[in-house]
Amino acid sequence: MRILYQLLVVLFVMLQGAAGQPFTHRPFDPCLMQNGRCFPGICRRPYYWIGTCHNGFSCCRKGWSS
C-alpha cells in the first residue's frame, strides 16, 4: 500500500511538471532566421517583404542603407 501511495505521488508530480510545458515547440522561426520581423499588413519603408510569418503577418526585412 505504501508503494502505491508513493507511485501516486510521483505520478502527480510528473503531471504537475508536464502541465507547465508548452504542447508544441517550433524548432525555429523562418522569418527570424532571415533577419526579418513580422508586421501586420504590408511592409513599409525601410522594410521590404521577404515572406509570410506563421501567424499570417508579413515577414519584412530592413533594407540596406548605402
Side-chain angles (χ1 to χ4, degrees):
M1 193 67 174
R2 183 177 170 96
I3 293 174
L4 181 62
Y5 174 74
Q6 289 179 344
L7 287 175
L8 285 174
V9 168
V10 169
L11 179 65
F12 177 75
V13 169
M14 287 174 54
L15 289 175
Q16 196 174 25
Q21 300 296 320
F23 183 68
T24 57
H25 291 284
R26 287 192 170 264
F28 63 94
D29 185 3
C31 186
L32 192 60
M33 293 293 290
Q34 300 177 56
N35 294 327
R37 295 177 57 189
C38 296
F39 288 104
I42 62 173
C43 302
R44 307 264 183 211
R45 262 186 230 172
Y47 295 92
Y48 63 95
W49 187 83
I50 57 172
T52 305
C53 297
H54 66 280
N55 57 2
F57 287 179
S58 296
C59 181
C60 308
R61 183 176 7 189
K62 200 165 197 172
W64 300 101
S65 59
S66 45

